[in-house]
Amino acid sequence: MAIATQEILLFGKWSFDEVTVSDISLRDYITISEGKEVYVPHTAGRYQVRRFRKASCPVVERLTNSLMMHGRNNGKKLMAIRIVQHAFEIINLITDKNPIQVLVDAVMNSGPREDSTRVGSAGTARRQAVDVSPLRRVNQAIYLLTTGARKASFRNIKSIGECLALELINAAKESSNSYAIKTKDQVERVAKSNR
């Protein structure tokens, strides 16, 4: 007798099945499929042990981990999970889309594709434009999204869950109201001028 495999739903609500990564270069680094579906973004995996191991961490969990920043929030993963859950509820109410898909779109749109680095030695340093690797694009995007939500909710009546939801929705639409999109455009503009 075959046991029917139960579909894994994030927070018991959102399905991973119809979520797609349209950007080919980021497909290996935005982890949502092949055995990485989770009920809660808390796998307790050791993703820092080896280089590139974090690429296999579920993308929702990476967002959760990125929220646990600034001394007073360090290590409070359950609080971060609750924030992500609230944000996903709000995203679903506003857009009627799968929040996991909105997150994936936001990450794809928020990572700068070109950056500038310092080249030169002994005083004469100049900026040189360089392409950004796919893993760094994902890392930068997640960092910018959470930083934007954190800055928006600081000294504000809005909760960080609401701010994160709005940040993700705006980034998924590539709206310039998003902190992540604004920063990405600025970084790419500087890189273009340093080609």
Side-chain angles (χ1 to χ4, degrees):
M1 187 178 101
I3 299 168
T5 55
Q6 189 184 1
E7 189 186 3
I8 296 176
L9 302 174
L10 180 69
F11 298 123
K13 290 184 179 178
W14 324 116
S15 167
F16 287 89
D17 285 351
E18 62 267 20
V19 179
T20 55
V21 183
S22 54
D23 191 328
I24 299 170
S25 62
L26 300 182
R27 209 160 274 169
D28 295 339
Y29 298 100
I30 297 180
T31 313
I32 41 171
S33 56
E34 69 271 349
K36 290 292 176 183
E37 298 92 346
V38 287
Y39 290 107
V40 280
H42 195 322
T43 59
R46 294 163 64 216
Y47 294 109
Q48 300 301 320
V49 175
R50 194 168 297 134
R51 192 179 179 203
F52 299 124
R53 177 73 58 83
K54 62 180 171 186
S56 63
C57 180
V59 71
V60 185
E61 182 166 7
R62 294 199 62 192
L63 180 77
T64 307
N65 293 345
S66 187
L67 280 168
M68 296 192 290
M69 280 187 189
H70 290 308
R72 58 184 185 172
N73 300 323
N74 288 356
K76 300 183 182 177
K77 190 155 184 177
L78 296 182
M79 183 174 83
I81 289 171
R82 202 180 68 239
I83 290 167
V84 170
Q85 189 171 2
H86 284 174
F88 276 19
E89 299 275 4
I90 295 166
I91 289 169
N92 183 249
L93 283 173
I94 294 175
T95 63
D96 280 334
K97 290 182 190 157
N98 185 340
I100 306 171
Q101 182 65 60
V102 173
L103 169 63
V104 169
D105 292 345
V107 170
M108 281 191 302
N109 294 338
S110 305
R113 289 158 297 201
E114 193 180 21
D115 204 345
S116 45
T117 183
R118 284 170 58 96
V119 173
S121 58
T124 55
R126 65 186 194 83
R127 309 296 293 265
Q128 172 68 45
V130 290
D131 294 336
V132 180
S133 73
L135 181 61
R136 180 162 170 81
R137 275 182 64 191
V138 174
N139 298 347
Q140 281 275 80
I142 292 171
Y143 171 77
L144 291 174
L145 289 165
T146 52
T147 304
R150 199 177 291 116
K151 283 188 171 180
S153 67
F154 187 60
R155 294 202 174 153
N156 191 342
I157 197 164
K158 273 187 188 165
S159 72
I160 189 162
E162 293 171 63
C163 292
L164 180 63
L166 289 174
E167 180 72 30
L168 290 173
I169 290 167
N170 287 332
K173 288 191 301 199
E174 291 197 81
S175 156
S176 58
N177 293 341
S178 158
Y179 172 87
I181 298 290
K182 260 195 300 224
T183 312
K184 170 200 160 184
D185 289 344
Q186 184 186 344
V187 166
E188 287 184 348
R189 201 164 49 244
V190 171
K192 191 174 180 184
S193 66
N194 289 321
R195 275 181 189 163

